[in-house]
Amino acid sequence: PGNWLLHAMFTQTRIDMPGASTNANTVDAGASYTFAKVDTVGFGGSVENLDGGHWVTLSLSNLYSLSKRTVLYQQAMYQHASGAHAVASLLGAGPASGSSQVGVAVGIQHFF
């Protein structure tokens, strides 16, 4: 038996600078499915618009519990930017040299 978890969120951030202001609008949605309490697969995406730029980010992840306090994780992300200032920039990876970027993260997390 598995469990689905769905999420969705909209945010609007107002950015005020001397002589100019703009809004960043972001829609984020996704789902995860837990298999037998130890393995969870998630997928999601977000769309952001800011000052003529448009960013679409997709992700696929897996969490595998080794114990109550230790988790192995894997995540693959893809981002495509278009419009004004069209440079992809995944969190933690910095700006790409073009409009698309792929990132992969693998690790272990232990809770103390």
Side-chain angles (χ1 to χ4, degrees), residues 54-92:
H54 183 77
W55 292 264
V56 175
T57 306
L58 302 172
S59 67
L60 177 64
S61 63
N62 180 251
L63 299 173
Y64 186 82
S65 298
L66 297 175
S67 69
K68 289 182 180 182
R69 298 183 345 170
T70 305
V71 177
L72 296 176
Y73 65 87
Q74 307 164 61
Q75 183 175 31
M77 298 161 285
Y78 169 78
Q79 185 179 74
H80 180 74
S82 60
H85 317 293
V87 174
S89 182
L90 291 171
L91 182 64

Short mmCIF file of all heavy atoms in Angstrom, two decimals, residues 54-92:
data_model
loop_
_atom_site.label_atom_id
_atom_site.label_comp_id
_atom_site.label_asym_id
_atom_site.label_seq_id
_atom_site.Cartn_x
_atom_site.Cartn_y
_atom_site.Cartn_z
N HIS A 54 11.13 34.10 -18.02
CA HIS A 54 10.24 32.97 -17.76
C HIS A 54 11.13 31.74 -17.50
O HIS A 54 11.96 31.40 -18.34
CB HIS A 54 9.35 32.77 -18.99
CG HIS A 54 8.34 31.70 -18.86
ND1 HIS A 54 7.17 31.87 -18.15
CD2 HIS A 54 8.30 30.44 -19.34
CE1 HIS A 54 6.46 30.76 -18.23
NE2 HIS A 54 7.13 29.87 -18.94
N TRP A 55 10.96 31.10 -16.33
CA TRP A 55 11.76 29.93 -15.97
C TRP A 55 10.84 28.76 -15.66
O TRP A 55 9.91 28.88 -14.86
CB TRP A 55 12.61 30.23 -14.73
CG TRP A 55 13.69 31.21 -14.96
CD1 TRP A 55 14.99 30.94 -15.25
CD2 TRP A 55 13.59 32.64 -14.93
NE1 TRP A 55 15.70 32.10 -15.41
CE2 TRP A 55 14.86 33.17 -15.22
CE3 TRP A 55 12.54 33.53 -14.71
CZ2 TRP A 55 15.11 34.53 -15.27
CZ3 TRP A 55 12.79 34.88 -14.76
CH2 TRP A 55 14.06 35.37 -15.04
N VAL A 56 11.11 27.61 -16.26
CA VAL A 56 10.39 26.37 -16.00
C VAL A 56 11.39 25.37 -15.42
O VAL A 56 12.43 25.12 -16.02
CB VAL A 56 9.74 25.79 -17.28
CG1 VAL A 56 9.09 24.45 -17.00
CG2 VAL A 56 8.74 26.77 -17.86
N THR A 57 11.06 24.82 -14.25
CA THR A 57 11.94 23.87 -13.57
C THR A 57 11.16 22.58 -13.30
O THR A 57 10.04 22.63 -12.79
CB THR A 57 12.46 24.44 -12.24
OG1 THR A 57 13.07 25.71 -12.48
CG2 THR A 57 13.46 23.50 -11.59
N LEU A 58 11.76 21.43 -13.65
CA LEU A 58 11.16 20.12 -13.40
C LEU A 58 12.12 19.30 -12.53
O LEU A 58 13.34 19.43 -12.67
CB LEU A 58 10.92 19.38 -14.72
CG LEU A 58 10.03 20.09 -15.73
CD1 LEU A 58 10.02 19.34 -17.05
CD2 LEU A 58 8.62 20.24 -15.18
N SER A 59 11.56 18.47 -11.64
CA SER A 59 12.43 17.65 -10.79
C SER A 59 11.82 16.26 -10.57
O SER A 59 10.60 16.09 -10.59
CB SER A 59 12.67 18.33 -9.45
OG SER A 59 11.48 18.38 -8.69
N LEU A 60 12.71 15.31 -10.35
CA LEU A 60 12.36 13.94 -10.01
C LEU A 60 13.27 13.53 -8.86
O LEU A 60 14.50 13.73 -8.93
CB LEU A 60 12.57 13.01 -11.21
CG LEU A 60 12.32 11.53 -11.00
CD1 LEU A 60 10.86 11.28 -10.66
CD2 LEU A 60 12.73 10.75 -12.24
N SER A 61 12.69 12.98 -7.79
CA SER A 61 13.51 12.65 -6.62
C SER A 61 13.13 11.29 -6.04
O SER A 61 12.06 10.76 -6.30
CB SER A 61 13.35 13.72 -5.54
OG SER A 61 12.02 13.77 -5.08
N ASN A 62 14.05 10.76 -5.23
CA ASN A 62 13.82 9.50 -4.53
C ASN A 62 14.45 9.60 -3.15
O ASN A 62 15.60 10.02 -3.02
CB ASN A 62 14.42 8.33 -5.30
CG ASN A 62 14.20 7.01 -4.59
OD1 ASN A 62 15.13 6.42 -4.07
ND2 ASN A 62 12.96 6.55 -4.56
N LEU A 63 13.68 9.24 -2.12
CA LEU A 63 14.18 9.16 -0.75
C LEU A 63 14.04 7.73 -0.28
O LEU A 63 12.95 7.14 -0.39
CB LEU A 63 13.36 10.06 0.18
CG LEU A 63 13.36 11.55 -0.10
CD1 LEU A 63 12.35 12.25 0.81
CD2 LEU A 63 14.74 12.13 0.08
N TYR A 64 15.12 7.17 0.24
CA TYR A 64 15.09 5.79 0.74
C TYR A 64 15.56 5.80 2.19
O TYR A 64 16.71 6.18 2.48
CB TYR A 64 15.97 4.88 -0.11
CG TYR A 64 15.84 3.43 0.29
CD1 TYR A 64 14.78 2.67 -0.17
CD2 TYR A 64 16.74 2.86 1.18
CE1 TYR A 64 14.63 1.35 0.22
CE2 TYR A 64 16.60 1.54 1.57
CZ TYR A 64 15.54 0.79 1.09
OH TYR A 64 15.38 -0.50 1.48
N SER A 65 14.71 5.39 3.10
CA SER A 65 15.03 5.39 4.53
C SER A 65 15.82 4.14 4.90
O SER A 65 15.32 3.02 4.75
CB SER A 65 13.76 5.45 5.36
OG SER A 65 13.06 6.63 5.10
N LEU A 66 17.02 4.35 5.40
CA LEU A 66 17.83 3.24 5.91
C LEU A 66 17.44 2.92 7.35
O LEU A 66 17.57 1.77 7.79
CB LEU A 66 19.31 3.59 5.84
CG LEU A 66 19.88 3.81 4.44
CD1 LEU A 66 21.32 4.27 4.54
CD2 LEU A 66 19.78 2.54 3.62
N SER A 67 16.99 3.95 8.08
CA SER A 67 16.54 3.79 9.46
C SER A 67 15.63 4.98 9.77
O SER A 67 15.36 5.80 8.89
CB SER A 67 17.74 3.77 10.42
OG SER A 67 18.34 5.04 10.48
N LYS A 68 15.21 5.11 11.03
CA LYS A 68 14.37 6.25 11.41
C LYS A 68 15.11 7.57 11.28
O LYS A 68 14.50 8.62 11.11
CB LYS A 68 13.89 6.11 12.85
CG LYS A 68 12.87 5.02 13.04
CD LYS A 68 12.42 4.99 14.49
CE LYS A 68 11.38 3.91 14.70
NZ LYS A 68 10.89 3.87 16.08
N ARG A 69 16.44 7.54 11.34
CA ARG A 69 17.23 8.78 11.35
C ARG A 69 18.14 8.96 10.14
O ARG A 69 18.79 9.99 10.02
CB ARG A 69 18.06 8.85 12.62
CG ARG A 69 17.21 8.87 13.86
CD ARG A 69 17.97 9.00 15.14
NE ARG A 69 19.40 8.75 15.06
CZ ARG A 69 20.25 9.00 16.04
NH1 ARG A 69 19.80 9.50 17.17
NH2 ARG A 69 21.52 8.74 15.90
N THR A 70 18.22 7.98 9.24
CA THR A 70 19.15 8.07 8.11
C THR A 70 18.41 7.83 6.80
O THR A 70 17.71 6.84 6.64
CB THR A 70 20.29 7.07 8.28
OG1 THR A 70 20.92 7.28 9.55
CG2 THR A 70 21.33 7.23 7.19
N VAL A 71 18.61 8.76 5.85
CA VAL A 71 17.93 8.72 4.56
C VAL A 71 18.94 8.90 3.43
O VAL A 71 19.81 9.78 3.51
CB VAL A 71 16.87 9.84 4.47
CG1 VAL A 71 16.20 9.86 3.12
CG2 VAL A 71 15.85 9.72 5.58
N LEU A 72 18.84 8.07 2.40
CA LEU A 72 19.58 8.29 1.16
C LEU A 72 18.68 9.10 0.24
O LEU A 72 17.47 8.83 0.16
CB LEU A 72 19.92 6.97 0.48
CG LEU A 72 20.85 6.02 1.21
CD1 LEU A 72 20.97 4.72 0.41
CD2 LEU A 72 22.21 6.65 1.39
N TYR A 73 19.25 10.07 -0.49
CA TYR A 73 18.42 10.85 -1.41
C TYR A 73 19.10 11.00 -2.77
O TYR A 73 20.33 11.00 -2.87
CB TYR A 73 18.06 12.22 -0.83
CG TYR A 73 19.22 13.15 -0.63
CD1 TYR A 73 19.67 13.99 -1.64
CD2 TYR A 73 19.87 13.21 0.60
CE1 TYR A 73 20.74 14.85 -1.44
CE2 TYR A 73 20.93 14.07 0.81
CZ TYR A 73 21.36 14.89 -0.21
OH TYR A 73 22.41 15.73 -0.01
N GLN A 74 18.26 11.14 -3.78
CA GLN A 74 18.71 11.38 -5.15
C GLN A 74 17.72 12.36 -5.76
O GLN A 74 16.52 12.24 -5.54
CB GLN A 74 18.67 10.11 -5.99
CG GLN A 74 19.40 8.94 -5.40
CD GLN A 74 18.99 7.66 -6.09
OE1 GLN A 74 19.17 7.50 -7.27
NE2 GLN A 74 18.40 6.75 -5.33
N GLN A 75 18.21 13.31 -6.54
CA GLN A 75 17.32 14.25 -7.21
C GLN A 75 17.94 14.68 -8.54
O GLN A 75 19.14 14.96 -8.60
CB GLN A 75 17.04 15.47 -6.35
CG GLN A 75 16.05 16.43 -6.99
CD GLN A 75 15.70 17.59 -6.09
OE1 GLN A 75 16.50 18.04 -5.28
NE2 GLN A 75 14.48 18.10 -6.23
N ALA A 76 17.11 14.72 -9.56
CA ALA A 76 17.52 15.25 -10.86
C ALA A 76 16.61 16.44 -11.17
O ALA A 76 15.40 16.37 -10.95
CB ALA A 76 17.39 14.19 -11.95
N MET A 77 17.21 17.52 -11.66
CA MET A 77 16.46 18.73 -11.96
C MET A 77 16.81 19.23 -13.36
O MET A 77 17.95 19.06 -13.81
CB MET A 77 16.79 19.82 -10.95
CG MET A 77 16.43 19.48 -9.54
SD MET A 77 17.31 20.49 -8.34
CE MET A 77 18.93 19.75 -8.39
N TYR A 78 15.84 19.85 -14.00
CA TYR A 78 16.05 20.47 -15.31
C TYR A 78 15.38 21.84 -15.28
O TYR A 78 14.25 21.96 -14.79
CB TYR A 78 15.45 19.62 -16.43
CG TYR A 78 15.41 20.34 -17.75
CD1 TYR A 78 16.57 20.47 -18.53
CD2 TYR A 78 14.25 20.92 -18.22
CE1 TYR A 78 16.55 21.14 -19.73
CE2 TYR A 78 14.22 21.60 -19.43
CZ TYR A 78 15.37 21.70 -20.19
OH TYR A 78 15.36 22.39 -21.38
N GLN A 79 16.08 22.85 -15.79
CA GLN A 79 15.49 24.18 -15.87
C GLN A 79 15.73 24.77 -17.25
O GLN A 79 16.83 24.64 -17.80
CB GLN A 79 16.07 25.11 -14.82
CG GLN A 79 15.40 26.49 -14.80
CD GLN A 79 15.98 27.38 -13.73
OE1 GLN A 79 17.08 27.87 -13.88
NE2 GLN A 79 15.22 27.57 -12.65
N HIS A 80 14.68 25.42 -17.77
CA HIS A 80 14.79 26.13 -19.05
C HIS A 80 14.30 27.55 -18.84
O HIS A 80 13.23 27.77 -18.27
CB HIS A 80 13.97 25.45 -20.15
CG HIS A 80 14.06 26.17 -21.45
ND1 HIS A 80 15.20 26.12 -22.23
CD2 HIS A 80 13.19 26.99 -22.09
CE1 HIS A 80 15.01 26.86 -23.30
NE2 HIS A 80 13.80 27.40 -23.24
N ALA A 81 15.08 28.51 -19.29
CA ALA A 81 14.75 29.92 -19.17
C ALA A 81 14.49 30.50 -20.55
O ALA A 81 15.12 30.10 -21.53
CB ALA A 81 15.90 30.67 -18.51
N SER A 82 13.55 31.43 -20.63
CA SER A 82 13.26 32.11 -21.90
C SER A 82 12.87 33.55 -21.61
O SER A 82 12.58 33.92 -20.47
CB SER A 82 12.14 31.39 -22.66
OG SER A 82 10.96 31.37 -21.89
N GLY A 83 12.85 34.37 -22.64
CA GLY A 83 12.48 35.77 -22.49
C GLY A 83 13.66 36.62 -22.05
O GLY A 83 14.83 36.23 -22.20
N ALA A 84 13.34 37.77 -21.47
CA ALA A 84 14.38 38.69 -21.00
C ALA A 84 15.20 38.03 -19.90
O ALA A 84 14.66 37.31 -19.06
CB ALA A 84 13.73 39.97 -20.48
N HIS A 85 16.49 38.28 -19.90
CA HIS A 85 17.40 37.73 -18.88
C HIS A 85 17.34 36.20 -18.83
O HIS A 85 17.38 35.61 -17.75
CB HIS A 85 17.09 38.31 -17.50
CG HIS A 85 16.82 39.77 -17.50
ND1 HIS A 85 17.79 40.70 -17.80
CD2 HIS A 85 15.68 40.47 -17.27
CE1 HIS A 85 17.27 41.90 -17.74
NE2 HIS A 85 15.99 41.79 -17.42
N ALA A 86 17.25 35.55 -19.97
CA ALA A 86 17.03 34.09 -20.05
C ALA A 86 18.30 33.31 -19.75
O ALA A 86 18.98 32.81 -20.64
CB ALA A 86 16.48 33.70 -21.41
N VAL A 87 18.63 33.20 -18.48
CA VAL A 87 19.77 32.40 -18.02
C VAL A 87 19.24 31.44 -16.97
O VAL A 87 18.65 31.86 -15.98
CB VAL A 87 20.89 33.27 -17.43
CG1 VAL A 87 21.99 32.41 -16.84
CG2 VAL A 87 21.45 34.21 -18.49
N ALA A 88 19.43 30.15 -17.19
CA ALA A 88 19.01 29.15 -16.21
C ALA A 88 19.93 29.24 -14.99
O ALA A 88 21.12 29.52 -15.12
CB ALA A 88 19.07 27.75 -16.81
N SER A 89 19.35 29.03 -13.81
CA SER A 89 20.14 29.10 -12.59
C SER A 89 19.47 28.25 -11.52
O SER A 89 18.56 28.70 -10.84
CB SER A 89 20.27 30.54 -12.11
OG SER A 89 21.07 30.61 -10.96
N LEU A 90 19.92 27.00 -11.38
CA LEU A 90 19.39 26.12 -10.35
C LEU A 90 19.99 26.48 -9.00
O LEU A 90 21.18 26.81 -8.91
CB LEU A 90 19.71 24.66 -10.67
CG LEU A 90 18.98 24.06 -11.86
CD1 LEU A 90 19.54 22.68 -12.20
CD2 LEU A 90 17.49 23.97 -11.59
N LEU A 91 19.19 26.39 -7.95
CA LEU A 91 19.64 26.69 -6.61
C LEU A 91 20.83 25.81 -6.24
O LEU A 91 20.78 24.59 -6.38
CB LEU A 91 18.50 26.45 -5.61
CG LEU A 91 18.81 26.76 -4.15
CD1 LEU A 91 19.09 28.25 -3.99
CD2 LEU A 91 17.63 26.37 -3.28
N GLY A 92 21.90 26.43 -5.83
CA GLY A 92 23.09 25.68 -5.44
C GLY A 92 24.08 25.44 -6.56
O GLY A 92 25.22 25.11 -6.32
#
